[in-house]
């Protein structure tokens, strides 16, 4: 992750990110009902409870419209 990402005290979060050659960049719109962030994202970062620090490696989930998959 390029930036710190806040976490939930008890739950894992999926945070929309843009992927660069070196980092996953969290998008500004990452609340639980923010579809705007997901629509603009390349992937979702799996953020553990209590968040993640800049430079930390996280699991990244590709989104089907970016990965060329079908989701009908």
């Amino acid at each position: 992750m390029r930036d710190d990402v806040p976490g939930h005290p008890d739950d894992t979060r999926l945070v929309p990110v843009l992927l660069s050659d070196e980092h996953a960049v969290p998008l500004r719109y990452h609340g639980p009902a923010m579809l705007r962030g997901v629509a603009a994202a390349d992937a979702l970062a799996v953020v553990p409870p209590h968040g993640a620090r800049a430079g930390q490696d996280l699991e990244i989930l590709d989104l089907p419209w970016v990965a060329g998959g079908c989701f009908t």
Side-chain angles (χ1 to χ4, degrees):
M1 296 300 291
R2 186 191 73 183
D3 304 324
D4 290 346
V5 181
H8 185 276
D10 302 313
D11 298 322
T12 298
R13 293 182 60 212
L14 298 176
V15 174
V17 295
L18 291 176
L19 301 175
S20 72
D21 290 336
E22 298 178 15
H23 295 94
V25 180
L27 293 172
R28 178 176 163 194
Y29 305 101
H30 57 75
M34 285 287 204
L35 294 178
R36 181 177 181 179
V38 174
D42 293 329
L44 299 173
V46 180
V47 178
H50 304 292
R53 295 199 172 266
Q56 183 175 344
D57 289 336
L58 296 178
E59 182 178 0
I60 299 293
L61 305 174
D62 291 328
L63 293 169
W65 54 89
V66 176
C70 180
F71 61 99
T72 58

